[in-house]
Amino acid sequence: MGHELKIFDTPQLAAEACGRAILDAAVTGRQARGLAALAFSGGSTPKIMFEWMAKQPFDWTNVHIFWVDERCVPPDDQQSNYRMTRLALLDTLGLPETQVHRIAGEIEPATAAAQYAEEITRIIPDAVFDVIQRGMGNDGHTASLFPGEPAVNDLSGITAALWVEKMKQYRVTLKRNVLEKARLTLNLVTGADKASPLLHVLQGPRDLLSYPAQISSPEMIWYLDPAAAESLHD
Ligand code: 6PG
């Protein structure tokens, strides 16, 4: 599947390397088409990566920030992925609002998904992101595509609003075909609770419905720590 694995001594070093790769991909994307489109994941893992990125000297001109998924909560809610990114990165950068494209978690989910798809295609008509930074849940989900979710097998569209029974919550997420056509996918996965699902995702049979984190793009790099990688075999 063209997966490259990089294992670092600590979660911090994995996060820094992933952050560095995002910045490099932004430069490449901007050179190629005048702007770069990045999509970030939420959850807890990328926080230290955002904090590291916030400290780097970097020219953010024409770099557009999107999200892989969002919990359907207001933007100031503790659960909001936007809020986490804002506190860890965006407040420091002070980018113009025109470069920040959050998912409206506070409105009706289907409307938020439709608006978000329009916003993506307004900036990048082909919906090809220069880099999509993904995470993986300890159940093998990625983005807000959870195991057993029928949308995993739907190759149409850009975004979806999905009810996630496990979380008892609506989520808005990028859909599979957008994840698959990203120019570069960077997966940041650390911690011992990710070891078993990671073994299935990377070295088990292909079964996207059970392990949506197997959804891949042509260039896919995994940033791991030893705990997450401990079950993998050569
Ligand atoms: C979200 C995410 C999600 C995340 C995984 C891993 O909104 O929850 O975008 O897909 O990447 O759940 O989350 P942790 O980093 O918290 O383990």
Side-chain angles (χ1 to χ4, degrees), residues 40-46 68-71 81 134-138 141-144 146 171 188 193-194:
F40 292 137
S41 282
S44 54
T45 311
V68 170
D69 64 339
E70 184 58 279
R71 295 90 182 265
N81 286 337
R134 279 167 40 190
M136 183 188 77
N138 58 15
H141 83 262
T142 194
S144 279
F146 282 72
R171 300 278 188 99
L188 179 62
D193 64 320
K194 307 287 171 76

Side-chain angles (χ1 to χ4, degrees), residues 92-165:
T92 306
L93 300 185
L95 298 181
E97 275 177 26
T98 49
Q99 285 170 239
V100 180
H101 311 276
R102 77 172 177 89
I103 301 170
E106 69 277 28
I107 65 174
E108 198 267 319
T111 307
Q115 284 183 2
Y116 189 49
E118 269 180 39
E119 183 68 1
I120 291 169
T121 51
R122 190 174 69 78
I123 305 295
I124 42 169
D126 57 6
V128 174
F129 284 91
D130 295 291
V131 55
I132 295 186
Q133 179 267 314
R134 279 167 40 190
M136 183 188 77
N138 58 15
D139 57 1
H141 83 262
T142 194
S144 279
L145 297 169
F146 282 72
E149 168 54 58
V152 168
N153 289 325
D154 176 0
L155 293 173
S156 69
I158 293 175
T159 63
L162 302 173
W163 171 255
V164 181
E165 181 57 30

Side-chain angles (χ1 to χ4, degrees), residues 18 22 25 31 36 43 62 71 75 84 94 100 102 109 154 156-158 161 164 179 184 206 210 213 227:
C18 187
I22 290 172
Q31 278 165 357
N62 292 338
R71 295 90 182 265
M84 192 276 275
V100 180
R102 77 172 177 89
D154 176 0
S156 69
I158 293 175
V164 181
L179 300 182
L184 175 64
R206 184 175 158 89
S210 301

Side-chain angles (χ1 to χ4, degrees), residues 13-27:
L13 291 173
E16 291 179 10
C18 187
R20 169 55 59 206
I22 290 172
L23 297 179
D24 290 348
V27 171

Side-chain angles (χ1 to χ4, degrees), residues 59-77:
D59 173 12
W60 288 88
T61 308
N62 292 338
V63 177
H64 289 257
I65 311 287
F66 293 84
W67 279 262
V68 170
D69 64 339
E70 184 58 279
R71 295 90 182 265
C72 290
V73 295
D76 58 354
D77 190 285

